[in-house]
Amino acid sequence: MKIYVCIKQVPDTETKLRLKPDNSGIDDSAIKWIMNPYDEYAVEEALKIKTEIPAAVVTIVSVGPKKRVVDAIRTGLAMGADEGIVVDAPEHLDSYLTAKALAAAIKGDGAPDLVLTGKLAIDDNNAYVSQGVAEFLGVPHATVISKMSREDGRITVEREVEGGSREIIQLNGPCLIAANKGLNTPRYASLPGIMKAKKKPLKELDLAGLGINPAETRVAYKELQLPAEKPPTKMISGDVGQQSSELVRLLREDAKVL
Amino acid sequence: MSNVIVFCEHQNGNLKKGALELLSAARGSGLPVSALVIGPGANELAKQAFQFGATKAFTCESKDFAAYNSELYASVVERAIKNSGASILLASSSMLARDLFPRLAARVGGGLVSDCTELAFAGGAPRVRKPLYSGKCTAGVEFKGSGLKIILMRPNQLPVANPDSGKTGEIVPLDVAPMDLKTLVKEVVRGASEKLDLTEANIIVSGGRGLKEKENFKLLEELADVLGATVGASRAVVDSGWVPHGMQVGQTGKTVAPTLYIAVGISGAIQHLAGMTGSKVIVAINKDPEAPIFQKATYGIVGDLFEVVPVLTKEFRKVLQ
């Protein structure tokens, strides 16, 4: 069984962001990079299957600047994945080309029985790449998955939708599953795991080798802006009765939202 | 010639507010506007789209489309896109649309941006902005090439124009080719709540660890009932198992942008702020004057929520009834 897990490296949420002087992007010199939190659920789910099927091979795939992205792949290998594939690509490759590159890297490596991803990356919150990879691989997908089980080559998943409703979906044959929080509890990399990860195979590819032209990008971000200065918070004083009636008055007459 | 197609979601026999916002914005573009309505009742719902400026509606009435199936929906939407010759597709950044349209963007080689917060048209071209890095900054979106531009907008970001009840349009039914489906929707388990989802709600009352125990969420439900609001929660209380994950606001939960967000007993960890700073007006109620939530709030009340919330509920009831 071949399982591929697509991951992305993103700035840590706690990182303070600064923009480049020309506002074309963020200043990435002082950023702490982490594995996208949703991708950790995807890695964990693959490793859970590997526990049940020891012959399963779990391969971590990522697209991005090789120098830093390799760290995220090593994290996945330290958690227990078998192999890594890194596709060297410029910073901020768009979702369309990223999906193309991931699918091409997987196709060139083997025939996937299962592809796992996080439901979205917390940097641009676009939620495009998972379904794009599925489309380019020609397999069905299910996203925002918080429960998953396997039986006879069929996968049954539970997808959270609006209003607390859930869809129970069955997928036949190879497919792509995009993980939500709640699917599992990701393990931490152990020290022996970290040592072993250094010796695990890591395949290095580039966009040209996969036949992908960065000029075919569909979407670019520009004119980045930090949020406007917020007016100071209006603190409401007095006893509980005064605070309440003043708040209601402000919401109606000042903010006009009621 | 450039034209816009608006994917209109619906519920209980009405187009959702998000769809009306997008139809209104599309009408302002000066480009021809068509609507895409899928599911039983589509032809009737198309009439609502005409009142908001669509002159044509692609519909699919089949009962196979009563529940969302990604493969079926993708095939019929692909047909609508080809048939309409649209250069721009607008949809709400909903659970359904966020699952479906990336797949279609890949299929037709188009560009897609989701979770957008600003949309305007200049000379027929869409000008779009969206938050990046958990709302720490926003970015303008530049579409390259001549392919389809797919824009998924957060609800509650755009005004709804007045309907014109005299307007009608042309209905174009789409037929469904039989397909060998690999994806089967076995069951849809309805949530207990009949209220608007957090992502669509106009008012949200959210609770955090300050509520002390699960049962105390009742206080917030009472307040929410008076306001017609949806109840949300912080990550801490979801992780404690007090409320389901579907109620979580913030990173690893939902990103919300209501007109009014009332945070009760929530300290305001950066992961929570990431999901709600797009709210128009933020009220914070917390006993700790140093809580970070006060930095982001429009109005702040330092006090014991167990005293403040019941009085506040009474006060709202008095003025709203």
Side-chain angles (χ1 to χ4, degrees):
Chain A
M1 187 180 192
K2 283 288 277 174
I3 305 173
Y4 290 87
V5 186
C6 304
I7 67 164
K8 186 177 191 182
Q9 204 182 32
V10 296
D12 190 344
T13 318
E14 310 281 347
T15 298
K16 198 163 168 63
L17 285 192
R18 277 182 316 206
L19 303 185
K20 285 182 184 164
D22 65 354
N23 293 332
S24 65
I26 56 166
D27 171 4
D28 45 26
S29 58
I31 284 175
K32 184 186 167 208
W33 296 92
I34 57 166
M35 189 194 293
N36 177 45
Y38 291 107
D39 300 348
E40 294 182 4
Y41 301 110
V43 175
E44 177 61 33
E45 201 59 26
L47 297 178
K48 274 173 65 186
I49 296 171
K50 194 175 161 60
T51 314
E52 291 163 34
I53 309 173
V57 177
V58 176
T59 306
I60 309 273
V61 197
S62 192
V63 174
K66 187 172 80 185
K67 253 174 69 187
R68 62 168 175 82
V69 169
V70 161
D71 291 342
I73 296 176
R74 292 276 179 217
T75 304
L77 297 176
M79 287 167 76
D82 300 293
E83 299 170 3
I85 302 175
V86 58
V87 182
D88 191 28
E91 198 76 58
H92 307 307
L93 194 67
D94 82 340
S95 306
Y96 171 74
L97 290 180
T98 303
K100 257 195 156 166
L102 286 166
I106 292 171
K107 266 189 196 161
D109 189 70
D113 295 291
L114 175 64
V115 182
L116 286 157
T117 64
K119 72 163 180 183
L120 55 78
I122 61 167
D123 51 3
D124 74 349
N125 196 18
N126 216 30
Y128 179 131
V129 170
S130 305
Q131 295 93 310
V133 170
E135 174 66 20
F136 293 131
L137 288 176
V139 300
H141 74 262
T143 62
V144 198
I145 299 308
S146 50
K147 253 187 206 168
M148 171 170 161
S149 61
R150 287 175 311 112
E151 202 181 10
D152 306 332
R154 282 200 300 262
I155 288 181
T156 305
V157 293
E158 200 171 295
R159 165 178 154 81
E160 259 183 60
V161 291
E162 279 98 352
S165 298
R166 292 166 295 138
E167 297 170 355
I168 319 290
I169 303 167
Q170 183 186 302
L171 301 112
N172 297 320
C175 60
L176 181 141
I177 304 294
N180 193 15
K181 183 186 171 182
L183 181 61
N184 51 47
T185 308
R187 69 196 65 188
Y188 289 103
S190 66
L191 192 57
I194 293 167
M195 300 310 290
K196 268 193 226 159
K198 291 180 184 161
K199 295 192 188 116
K200 288 183 177 172
L202 180 71
K203 187 150 89 177
E204 297 185 5
L205 304 172
D206 59 25
L207 291 179
L210 294 171
I212 288 165
N213 177 3
E216 287 179 11
T217 185
R218 298 300 198 261
V219 168
Y221 298 129
K222 59 173 185 182
E223 296 159 12
L224 270 66
Q225 270 174 17
L226 296 172
E229 276 294 312
K230 184 184 103 38
T233 305
K234 192 170 172 57
M235 299 305 290
I236 304 169
S237 53
D239 64 28
V240 174
Q242 289 164 333
Q243 285 177 321
S244 297
S245 53
E246 176 63 2
L247 175 62
V248 173
R249 189 193 68 78
L250 286 167
L251 290 174
R252 285 164 67 88
E253 292 170 20
D254 205 27
K256 297 190 168 67
V257 292
L258 282 181
Chain B
M1 150 122 193
S2 187
N3 75 86
V4 186
I5 187 163
V6 179
F7 178 71
C8 298
E9 288 187 59
H10 51 90
Q11 195 172 25
N12 304 330
N14 283 303
L15 296 186
K16 288 195 172 186
K17 179 162 172 271
L20 303 183
E21 292 177 22
L22 293 171
L23 286 165
S24 305
R27 181 160 65 173
S29 71
L31 302 172
V33 178
S34 57
L36 171 56
V37 193
I38 297 178
N43 289 341
E44 199 55 35
L45 288 157
K47 294 179 188 163
Q48 294 179 25
F50 296 145
Q51 296 178 4
F52 284 90
T55 53
K56 197 190 261 191
F58 296 90
T59 62
C60 178
E61 279 270 357
S62 166
K63 64 177 184 342
D64 293 341
F65 289 77
Y68 170 63
N69 176 304
S70 57
E71 286 182 86
L72 277 175
Y73 267 62
S75 107
V76 79
V77 173
E78 185 187 5
R79 198 163 307 178
I81 291 169
K82 294 224 166 104
N83 200 326
S84 68
S87 48
I88 300 164
L89 186 148
L90 305 178
S92 285
S93 208
S94 68
M95 295 296 292
L96 188 162
R98 296 195 77 170
D99 186 81
L100 172 65
F101 286 105
R103 179 121 202 174
L104 271 158
R107 190 168 295 177
V108 303
L112 173 142
V113 277
S114 52
D115 196 32
C116 300
T117 49
E118 290 176 39
L119 169 66
F121 286 87
R127 297 174 55 90
V128 181
R129 291 190 71 83
K130 67 170 281 177
L132 296 183
Y133 306 105
S134 313
K136 285 180 191 164
C137 66
T138 62
V141 173
E142 187 182 353
F143 286 100
K144 308 211 179 207
S146 57
L148 178 69
K149 304 168 177 68
I150 301 181
I151 300 160
L152 306 186
M153 281 292 295
R154 270 190 208 173
N156 294 328
Q157 304 296 312
L158 299 165
V160 176
N162 289 323
D164 181 343
S165 58
K167 284 272 170 66
T168 59
E170 178 199 356
I171 289 182
V172 185
L174 299 163
D175 34 77
V176 196
M179 282 179 72
D180 179 18
L181 293 176
K182 293 183 196 134
T183 313
L184 299 171
V185 179
K186 306 285 280 184
E187 197 185 349
V188 180
V189 184
R190 294 276 163 222
S193 174
E194 287 297 305
K195 288 187 176 159
L196 276 179
D197 191 69
L198 285 170
T199 51
E200 301 168 289
N202 200 34
I203 304 178
I204 292 173
V205 180
S206 246
R209 223 195 301 254
L211 281 159
K212 290 196 175 126
E213 54 187 291
K214 183 180 172 179
E215 284 64 35
N216 294 331
F217 258 82
K218 261 192 230 117
L219 280 177
L220 300 194
E221 279 154 23
E222 281 164 30
L223 175 56
D225 283 344
V226 172
L227 292 169
T230 302
V231 179
S234 73
R235 174 181 173 165
V237 305
V238 170
D239 286 353
S240 305
W242 296 0
V243 295
H245 175 243
M247 284 173 66
Q248 184 182 326
V249 172
Q251 198 176 80
T252 69
K254 287 177 177 164
T255 302
V256 301
T259 308
L260 173 59
Y261 187 93
I262 304 181
V264 181
I266 292 177
S267 63
I270 188 156
Q271 287 81 359
H272 186 78
L273 301 178
M276 47 66 78
T277 37
S279 311
K280 196 169 160 217
V281 172
I282 296 170
V283 173
I285 301 170
N286 204 296
K287 65 171 194 248
D288 174 12
E290 303 297 321
I293 189 79
F294 285 121
Q295 315 257 323
K296 297 289 172 188
T298 321
Y299 304 115
I301 291 180
V302 177
D304 180 353
L305 72 91
F306 295 102
E307 291 174 25
V308 176
V309 174
V311 177
L312 193 56
T313 304
K314 216 177 278 173
E315 197 71 30
F316 277 127
R317 189 175 288 132
K318 205 159 61 189
V319 297
L320 293 176
Q321 282 171 359

